[in-house]
Amino acid sequence: MTDSPLLKVNDLSKFYGTRHGCRNVAFELWPGEVLAIVGESGSGKTTLLNCLSTRLTPTTGSVEYQMRDGSFRDLYHMSEAERRFLMRTDWGFVHQNPADGLRMTVSAGANVGERLMAVGNRHYGNIRATATDWLTRVEIGVDRIDDQPRAFSGGMRQRLQIARNLVTGPRLVFMDEPTGGLDVSVQARLLDLVRGLVSDLGLSAIIVTHDLAVARLLSHRMLVMKDGHVIEQGLTDRVLDDPHEPYTQLLVSSILQV
């Protein structure tokens, strides 16, 4: 990790009239760090993720990102074109439903290759070779490179979506319930894959999940949300092994009783 954060979030809030999706959120994310945002449905974790990834404009606050030249830019003072460029190059976004992050009517290879073309690659042979390599890395058979994602299982689609996001070497990846809706055995394989890739590539990641086991396996640090507020944060093992807030204690005890 470097001596300065990759992302600085200050007093971030999103209001919907009198309701608030998230309120007064502040934290820093460091290079190579994985942060889990946990909480029950309606806690505000997805609203926060969408504000961080510029999919949703916050009502107040700032999100500062360290650019490759070392300067910090407030994401919401950047132009729409600049933000779209970040999304194509420096960032990835893994959706809970893979169909939201894939083009379902083109081949698996084209899904990966399209992302490479977006950052300037034009040599067909090199694009196909890179796509082949990434399909192998996410445990999809090379013989499926010309198959469309709609012919894939849910787990394969999710692995393909991960390959599509990571092929350009992003510095920051957002993940929204990446194992949601998958069978337990498929979840386990996917989590092992994600943990290995994040570690090997030195990625920073922000993962939204309601599953504390996912948070423990993947994250270094954790934010616990309730009613739009961050009520507890800290190192993942500390939060899960010694939760301070009654709500966090309830979350942890409910998992232990399952």
Side-chain angles (χ1 to χ4, degrees), residues 3 15 21-22 24 29 37 54 78 88 90 97 111 115 131 142 168 172 198 200-201 210 223 237:
D3 57 0
F15 299 111
C22 60
N24 303 130
L29 179 75
I37 305 172
T54 73
M78 296 170 71
R88 290 199 311 269
D90 264 27
N97 179 1
N111 266 280
R115 176 94 169 175
V142 174
T168 54
L172 174 59
V198 167
D200 291 347
L201 299 172
H210 67 277
L223 304 181
D237 286 345

Side-chain angles (χ1 to χ4, degrees), residues 135-210:
L135 291 183
T136 302
R137 293 179 76 168
V138 298
E139 302 173 6
I140 295 175
V142 174
D143 60 334
R144 305 297 300 271
I145 190 170
D146 294 316
D147 292 351
Q148 294 180 2
R150 59 188 177 184
F152 290 177
S153 67
M156 287 179 68
R157 289 178 184 179
Q158 195 61 294
R159 297 200 302 275
L160 177 60
Q161 189 189 183
I162 289 168
R164 176 182 168 94
N165 274 276
L166 299 189
V167 68
T168 54
R171 300 162 69 210
L172 174 59
V173 178
F174 303 95
M175 297 186 180
D176 186 8
E177 299 278 8
T179 59
L182 299 176
D183 293 340
V184 173
S185 60
V186 178
Q187 284 187 25
R189 283 183 62 196
L190 185 67
L191 287 170
D192 281 343
L193 174 69
V194 171
R195 182 169 63 172
L197 288 171
V198 167
S199 175
D200 291 347
L201 299 172
L203 293 173
S204 297
I206 299 176
I207 300 174
V208 159
T209 182
H210 67 277

Side-chain angles (χ1 to χ4, degrees), residues 4-5 65-73 171:
S4 60
Y65 180 70
Q66 186 183 48
M67 308 298 286
R68 289 180 183 258
D69 65 3
S71 65
F72 279 92
R73 296 283 305 280
R171 300 162 69 210

Side-chain angles (χ1 to χ4, degrees), residues 204-219:
S204 297
I206 299 176
I207 300 174
V208 159
T209 182
H210 67 277
D211 189 333
L212 298 185
V214 170
R216 186 187 286 277
L217 186 68
L218 293 181
S219 69

Side-chain angles (χ1 to χ4, degrees), residues 4 16 42 44 93 104 120 152 155 165 178 248:
S4 60
Y16 301 95
F93 195 106
M104 300 299 286
F152 290 177
N165 274 276
T248 312

Side-chain angles (χ1 to χ4, degrees), residues 8 14-16 38 40 101 132 172 181 213 220 225 237 245-246:
K8 297 191 290 189
K14 177 63 179 179
F15 299 111
Y16 301 95
V38 305
E40 62 191 359
T132 300
L172 174 59
H220 302 105
M225 294 193 71
D237 286 345
E245 293 294 322

